């Protein structure tokens, strides 16, 4: 969200327009309904008067007053404001009894001559805030349709919308974001706030100082974290300073405020400050009090002596104030939020007053001094210095959220200055209106070719120097339209052809080229709009509309409802981009929540998007007037939309409970692969053409099982793009699709046999009811050796149901064609977004989208565990994790929806998938391009970039917490998740993810109460696996029970809760399925509880006393929590496990069978491995698992996962030990035993031997017969196999 490029009231033509202004008239009234402080009314007068003076037909004012809870209440009527407004404005005001409706519209439409109308309180309608309160005070959500109707009612009252209510800009209320008028501008109050905050946050004069006060660190984490990326120095004062002093310097703080939760993040914040070279200034002396009272006794203390017990610091001393003054003197921009002391009490106001005096003095010297609202604004008002400072914000909560880096809905909703509407047409001429900081220099068309050559040279040498110069080319005439103190407006006419006979085939292409040619010569805030003059033919735009771009922004800020609402009002609901956007919204809802209704809706929307994109692609391939890229074949933008829809459809299908739909999903992956590979191959050819190389094309599609797919052209085939042999920029029109009738027959046959097929999807002409290769023509008579094009889907389903899903299936290299590897000189298009290669936004869309989707596909397929190996036969190609990750990193560079999704995918992969594995590639200290393992610094930079782009999304908070956990800082991770709960995501599914992560982290740090509480909350938030949630909550109470020694009163409470939750778990198992199978953990939970119920009956003991080896530590293992624990937490886990085989507390241990003893052995060995005690780990595994007869570790109610996991653990130990320089054992405290740092240490024979032994253990684990959690453990095994393969390639 940029603050500096928003449309202002001075930028729009108000003459004869109904100007709808959102003001803030929430003013105080006395008992006689008189306005006691008209400051807010006075603040709005300049905007109102400007509208009147500039010819507005009428000025309609809307505001809220108080909290009437969504229904009319005379106490909060705006009627009493009318007399004061008339007095101050000197003009008669019309007041309406409501803010929407026919009568209000009649009044507004009948007004003229600059008449001012004040509407009744907006909050008399629940639809303004989105909710109301019932008679019991409970919040009731407003009906979606009613909200839409209310917003349309407001929109009907104006022609131009002006927002002058900055104080409510952080609220997505209807009057702030729901007025769908073409021009939405800021008023003078709003503009002043935006201008000053832009100066501080976007382009500050340096040095830049921030002064932050406040009570709790945890309340200011986001604020401090955001500012540490912007400021040069930071004063931390007020109550939270005591937390910093005690945590960092162990200063005695007596009874002063101490934020226990916030203290856990202090070290991290200081580390970030050091990394960003930010100077931190803390107080060194204090004015103290014996109680929090204005009449308290006062004292004085310094850091050396500390604050005595029973006394508290309420103000800073003179030495501290001097430090503050020195910092203020050094700065050129000062941002202040939070006073240093309790200024409300005179005895403790001196520090605040002295700091204020220094700030005033700085402002008088011409420095920028901004007061960020809240208590600091109250301080400025108290001492009457508001007019002596650069700016005192009145925003309160809005100011704070802005400083925290959050998106303000009321600001985001305003129109931007920089926009370009792409229109595809055959023009006679195009007229541009250009606003820029300086008038243009006329360039005759005859000099155009020479000008363009010079422009390219200057762009490289003097890019920065040329900014602000208006060397406009491509126009025949220019006339000054209007000017203001800041902008000149010019009208330019563009010819339809360039010198040298080069024709523009569309105005969209011309407009794009013209806009991008201006980019290097005009200020970034330039406004360029295209108007069509004398056109012969107009066709719809070939780029996503504003509605779709805004929707994309909503998607990445967790507001899927707003995205859906925005798309509902898009300019062309039938475009491929529009339908892709609606499909993506439904897809995200489906994958985050798994509700059946949403899954069905997503499936339908994506099928519709596939059909539309396929049709648009064919049209584009036949239209000679469409945009012709120098890189991609004709219609590639639509082919990409089609592939993206297929990819999302495939994921939804695989998550479907129907096995048939799941298999269809894998065929969709095959089709998407072909399309995406073709797009990437076009980039490869383009790179070779510009580098002058002549190399064979790299075609991943060659790894498809069909022997024809590598040699057969893909012209006209579903997902194909046309002739790839044509040189870049000169693609011939592709052959018409001649197989559609045969496809329809195949689709009809498949539909007749498929189960649960929705009839509404039969019209999808390119859906996966036709199961044949996407990259080859279909011939009913011709059949290939391996893949015929006719697949009996029922047979596939039965085969998979009987074999790959429930028996031992492994896919070896000979089962699939060998995967192609990148040649050393393979050309990858890895340019940055500002490269000349991406001068056209259509190319940007295709490149970023193709890299996102193909990268995701390659990584996803590379992670298929051995238990699902036969699925690779259906998909028909190998995954390539390394290449896939590189493509995702490339996509993440782009500031669009594709870049954001790539960033989210990368962070999710590294924190979830990599975090789940142990056998990972080493990270080279010198190779910054490494994408495997866990590239810590790259991930940190990516997360910071994503939070800057989409600050409202709680997903980044989740990833930040995961990042801290990956670095064994679980307390910090938990603190981040707890603080984020105060700013809930509008997306319930994201809240569920945060709560789930919170529960896991609590489990890892052994906070059993919080763990249980979090997973019970997950039951309310998410429908994925209630059985798992109840099971972990019960397991947490089991551990708490074992920690309570009799006669602790909590012991029985934990016993009851554990019994209740564990017995509840199986009742919820089986309600969700994955490809017709129960979820693995549901099966696991059901068996475990059944085992304990059996023992309960057989042994005649209470349920709580027959539970075996710590079920909570077992969950830690399956979520790889040991990797995230520090040494102290790992030792606590060992203590927990020691309970099991201690006969004193656990009298049933002597009855335990081999499988239960194997569970303990695996858990204990894994913990020891992470402590670096490898010899002990190996000894335990060999004795208690590997030496045991396999028959004793499977069957019946036994735990059958221990043997394969033991083999994996043995491999993991070998992988860790290969880096030893000798055969000595690593000492405890040397790390958590995971790979990922430094280079290879144990070079030579010893390393080779360790790796060879590791390969042997992992191969056995991969080929193990089917067992309960084979899919989950298989993810670790698949990652290990990939790592070992890469190691071998590196050695060879």
């Amino acid at each position: 969200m940029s603050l500096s490029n928003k449309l202002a009231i001075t930028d729009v033509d108000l003459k004869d327009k109904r100007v709808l202004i959102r003001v803030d008239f929430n003013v105080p009234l006395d008992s006689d309904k008189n306005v006691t402080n008209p400051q807010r009314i006075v603040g709005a007068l300049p905007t109102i008067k400007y509208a009147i003076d500039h010819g507005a037909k009428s000025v309609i004012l809307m505001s809220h007053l108080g909290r009437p809870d969504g229904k009319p209440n005379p106490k909060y009527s705006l009627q009493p404001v009318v007399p004061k407004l008339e007095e101050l404005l000197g003009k008669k005001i019309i007041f309406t009894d409501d803010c929407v409706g026919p009568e209000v519209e009649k009044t507004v439409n009948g007004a003229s001559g600059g008449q001012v109308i004040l509407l009744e309180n907006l909050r008399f309608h629940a639809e303004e805030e989105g909710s109301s309160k019932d008679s019991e005070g409970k919040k009731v959500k407003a009906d979606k349709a009613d909200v839409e109707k209310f917003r349309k009612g407001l929109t009907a009252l104006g022609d131009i919308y002006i927002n002058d209510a900055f104080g409510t800009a952080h609220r997505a209320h209807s009057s702030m974001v729901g007025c769908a008028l073409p021009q939405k501008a800021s008023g003078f109050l709003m503009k002043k706030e935006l201008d000053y905050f832009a100066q501080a946050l976007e382009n500050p004069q340096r040095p830049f100082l921030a002064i932050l006060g406040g009570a709790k660190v945890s309340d200011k984490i986001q604020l401090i974290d955001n500012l540490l990326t912007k400021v040069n120095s930071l004063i931390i004062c007020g109550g939270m300073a005591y937390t910093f002093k005690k945590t960092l310097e162990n200063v005695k703080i007596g009874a002063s405020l101490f934020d226990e939760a916030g203290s856990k993040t202090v070290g991290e914040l200081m580390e970030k400050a050091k990394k960003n070279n930010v100077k931190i200034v803390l107080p060194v002396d204090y004015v103290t009090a014996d109680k929090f009272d204005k009449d308290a006794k006062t004292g004085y203390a310094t850091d050396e002596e500390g604050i005595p017990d029973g006394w508290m610091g309420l103000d800073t001393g003179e030495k501290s104030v001097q430090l503050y003054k020195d910092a203020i003197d050094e700065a050129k921009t000062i941002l202040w939020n939070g006073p240093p002391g309790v200024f409300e009490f005179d005895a403790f106001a001196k520090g605040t007053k002295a700091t204020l005096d220094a700030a005033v003095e700085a402002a008088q010297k011409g420095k920028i001094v901004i007061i960020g609202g809240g208590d600091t604004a109250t301080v400025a008002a108290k001492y009457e210095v508001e007019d002596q400072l650069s700016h005192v914000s009145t925003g309160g909560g809005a100011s704070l959220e802005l400083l925290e880096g959050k998106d303000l809905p009321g600001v985001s909703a305003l129109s931007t200055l920089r926009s370009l509407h792409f229109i595809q047409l055959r023009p006679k001429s195009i007229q541009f209106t250009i606003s820029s900081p300086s008038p243009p220099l006329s360039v005759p068309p005859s000099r155009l070719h020479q000008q363009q050559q010079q422009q390219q040279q200057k762009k490289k040498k003097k890019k920065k120097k040329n900014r602000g110069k208006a060397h406009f080319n491509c126009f025949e005439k220019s006339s000054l339209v209007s000017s203001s103190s800041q902008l000149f407006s010019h009208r330019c006419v563009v010819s339809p052809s360039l010198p040298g006979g080069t024709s523009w085939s569309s105005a969209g292409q011309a407009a794009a080229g013209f806009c991008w040619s201006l980019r290097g010569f005009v200020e970034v805030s330039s406004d360029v709009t295209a108007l069509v003059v004398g056109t012969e033919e107009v066709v719809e735009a070939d780029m996503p509309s504003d509605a779709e771009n805004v929707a994309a922004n909503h998607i990445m800020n967790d507001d899927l409802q707003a995205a859906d609402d925005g798309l509902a009002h898009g300019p062309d609901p039938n475009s491929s981009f529009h339908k892709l956007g609606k499909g993506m919204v439904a897809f995200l809802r489906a994958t985050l929540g798994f509700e059946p209704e949403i899954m069905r809706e997503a499936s339908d929307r994506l099928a519709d998007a596939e059909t539309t994109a396929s049709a648009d692609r064919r049209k584009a391939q036949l239209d000679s007037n469409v945009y012709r890229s120098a890189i991609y074949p004709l219609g590639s933008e639509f082919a990409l939309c089609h592939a993206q829809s297929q990819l999302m459809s495939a994921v939804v299908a695989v998550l479907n409970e129907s096995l048939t739909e799941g298999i269809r999903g894998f065929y969709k992956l095959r089709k998407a692969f072909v399309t995406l590979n073709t797009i990437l191959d076009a980039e490869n050819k383009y790179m070779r053409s510009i580098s002058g190389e002549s190399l064979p094309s790299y075609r991943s599609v060659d790894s498809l099982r069909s022997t024809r797919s590598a040699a057969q052209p893909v012209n006209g085939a579903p997902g194909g793009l046309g002739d790839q042999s044509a040189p870049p920029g000169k693609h011939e029109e592709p052959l018409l699709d001649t197989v559609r009738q045969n496809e329809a027959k195949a689709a009809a046959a498949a539909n007749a046999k498929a189960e649960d097929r929705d009839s509404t999807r039969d019209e999808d002409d390119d859906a996966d009811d036709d199961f044949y290769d996407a990259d080859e023509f279909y011939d009913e008579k011709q059949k290939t050796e391996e893949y015929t094009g006719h697949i009996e889907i029922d047979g596939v389903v039965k085969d998979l149901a009987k074999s790959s899903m429930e028996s031992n299936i492994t896919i070896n290299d000979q089962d699939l064609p060998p995967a192609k590897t990148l040649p050393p000189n393979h050309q990858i298009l890895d340019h940055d977004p500002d490269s000349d290669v991406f001068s056209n936004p259509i190319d940007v869309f295709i490149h970023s989208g193709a890299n996102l989707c193909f990268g995701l596909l390659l990584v996803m397929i590379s992670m298929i565990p051995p238990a699902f190996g036969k699925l690779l036969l259906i998909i028909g190609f190998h995954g390539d994790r390394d290449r896939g990750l590189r493509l995702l990193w490339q996509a993440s560079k782009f500031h669009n929806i594709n870049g954001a999704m790539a960033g989210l995918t990368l962070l999710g992969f590294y924190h979830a998938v990599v975090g789940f594995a142990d056998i990972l590639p080493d990270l080279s200290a010198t190779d910054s391009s490494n994408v495997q393992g866990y590239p810590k610094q790259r991930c940190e930079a990516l997360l910071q970039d994503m939070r800057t782009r989409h600050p409202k999304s709680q997903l980044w908070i989740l990833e930040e917490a995961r990042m801290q956990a990956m670095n064994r800082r679980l307390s910090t991770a938990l603190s981040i998740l707890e603080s984020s709960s105060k700013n809930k995501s509008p997306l319930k599914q994201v809240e569920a993810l945060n709560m789930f992560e919170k529960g896991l982290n609590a489990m890892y740090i052994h906070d059993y109460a919080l763990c249980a509480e979090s997973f019970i909350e997950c039951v309310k938030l998410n429908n994925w696996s209630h059985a798992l949630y109840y099971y972990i909550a019960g397991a947490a109470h089991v551990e708490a029970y074992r920690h309570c020694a009799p006669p602790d009163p909590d012991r029985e409470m934990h016993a009851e809760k554990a019994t209740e939750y564990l017995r509840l778990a199986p009742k919820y198992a089986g309600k969700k399925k994955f490809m017709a199978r129960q979820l693995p953990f549901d099966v696991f939970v059901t068996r475990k509880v059944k085992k304990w119920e059996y023992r309960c009956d057989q042994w005649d003991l209470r349920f709580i006393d027959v539970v075996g080896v710590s079920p909570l530590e077992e969950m830690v293992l399956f979520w790889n929590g040991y990797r995230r624990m520090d040494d102290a937490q790992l030792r606590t886990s060992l203590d927990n496990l020691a309970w099991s085989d201690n006969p004193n507390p656990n009298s049933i241990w002597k009855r335990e069978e081999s499988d239960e003893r194997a569970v303990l052995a695996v858990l204990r060995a894994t913990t020891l491995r992470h402590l670096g005690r490898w010899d002990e780990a190996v000894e335990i595994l060999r004795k208690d698992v590997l030496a045991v007869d396999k028959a004793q570790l499977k069957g019946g109610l036994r735990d059958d996962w221990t043997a394969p996991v033991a083999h994996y653990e043995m491999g993991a130990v070998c992988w860790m030990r290969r880096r030893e320089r000798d055969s000595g054992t690593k000492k405890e405290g040397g790390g958590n035993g995971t790979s990922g740092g430094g280079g290879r240490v144990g070079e030579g024979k010893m390393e080779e031997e360790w790796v060879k032994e590791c390969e042997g253990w992992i191969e056995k684990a991969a080929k193990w017969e089917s067992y309960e959690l084979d899919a989950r453990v298989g993810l670790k095994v698949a990652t290990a196999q990939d790592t070992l393969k890469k190691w071998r390639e590196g050695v060879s």
Side-chain angles (χ1 to χ4, degrees), residues 477-494:
K477 58 183 179 180
S478 172
S479 58
L480 186 65
V481 180
S482 63
S483 65
S484 65
S485 59
Q486 293 183 329
L487 293 176
F488 292 87
S489 294
H490 318 276
R491 188 157 292 141
C492 308
V493 178
V494 186

Side-chain angles (χ1 to χ4, degrees), residues 58-73:
S58 57
V59 178
I60 303 94
L61 308 177
M62 53 180 177
S63 176
H64 71 283
L65 192 152
R67 295 183 178 277
D69 295 333
K71 46 188 173 292
N73 186 336

Side-chain angles (χ1 to χ4, degrees), residues 541 543-549 551 555 563-586 605-606 608-609 612-613 616 638 641 645 845:
M543 282 295 292
S545 69
D546 286 344
E548 282 124 33
N549 290 327
I555 288 172
D564 231 358
D565 292 345
L567 288 168
H569 304 291
D572 182 8
N574 294 316
S575 76
S576 293
F577 303 105
H578 187 96
K579 291 188 176 182
L580 178 64
K582 290 184 74 66
M584 182 176 288
V585 171
R605 284 191 183 187
L606 291 167
D608 189 25
T612 302
D616 284 348
F638 301 115
C641 289
S645 300
F845 171 74

Side-chain angles (χ1 to χ4, degrees), residues 236-445:
I236 295 177
C237 56
M240 67 176 174
Y242 300 104
T243 300
F244 275 82
K245 298 297 288 190
K246 181 176 180 179
T247 304
L248 296 174
E249 303 169 21
N250 200 28
V251 173
K252 289 176 58 180
I253 64 171
S256 305
L257 281 172
F258 181 74
D259 181 5
E260 182 69 38
S263 68
K264 298 173 183 176
T265 65
V266 166
E268 179 190 353
L269 293 172
M270 294 300 291
E271 184 180 334
K272 185 170 185 177
K274 182 179 180 180
K275 179 181 178 181
N276 293 337
N277 295 317
V278 177
K279 179 183 177 182
I280 302 295
V281 180
L282 294 168
V284 295
D285 61 340
Y286 319 93
V287 178
T288 61
D290 64 342
K291 58 182 177 179
F292 190 83
D293 190 272
K294 65 182 180 65
D295 298 321
K297 294 179 182 179
T298 62
Y300 175 77
T302 64
D303 282 349
E304 290 75 15
E305 62 202 30
I307 299 174
D309 292 343
W311 287 67
M312 62 187 72
L314 296 186
D315 196 10
T316 50
E318 293 182 0
K319 294 180 181 178
S320 302
V321 169
Q322 186 58 51
L323 292 176
Y324 301 167
K325 287 182 177 180
D326 293 343
I328 291 171
D329 287 342
E330 294 173 2
K332 291 184 179 179
T333 302
I334 298 105
L335 176 64
W336 186 4
N337 181 276
V342 186
F343 70 93
E344 296 90 344
F345 300 162
D346 290 342
F348 308 103
K350 292 180 181 178
T352 300
K353 178 63 167 62
T355 306
L356 179 64
D357 290 341
V360 170
E361 183 180 348
Q364 299 306 309
K365 292 178 181 178
K367 298 181 178 182
I368 302 297
V369 181
I370 301 169
I371 303 298
D375 286 342
T376 322
T378 305
V379 170
K382 175 180 179 179
Y383 295 107
E384 300 180 346
V385 295
E386 294 159 295
D387 58 344
Q388 299 176 47
L389 299 164
S390 306
H391 178 60
V392 178
S393 176
T394 59
S399 302
L400 183 60
E401 291 200 12
L402 194 60
L403 295 176
E404 288 176 341
K406 296 178 181 177
D407 186 48
L408 301 187
V411 176
S412 294
L414 298 177
S415 303
T416 57
L417 275 172
R418 186 171 48 140
S419 61
L420 174 61
H421 184 63
F422 290 84
I423 306 171
Q424 183 179 320
L425 67 160
R426 299 176 63 184
K428 293 179 179 177
S429 63
I430 310 165
Q431 183 171 288
F432 291 92
T433 301
I434 305 159
S435 296
S436 67
S438 55
L441 303 176
S442 179
V443 181

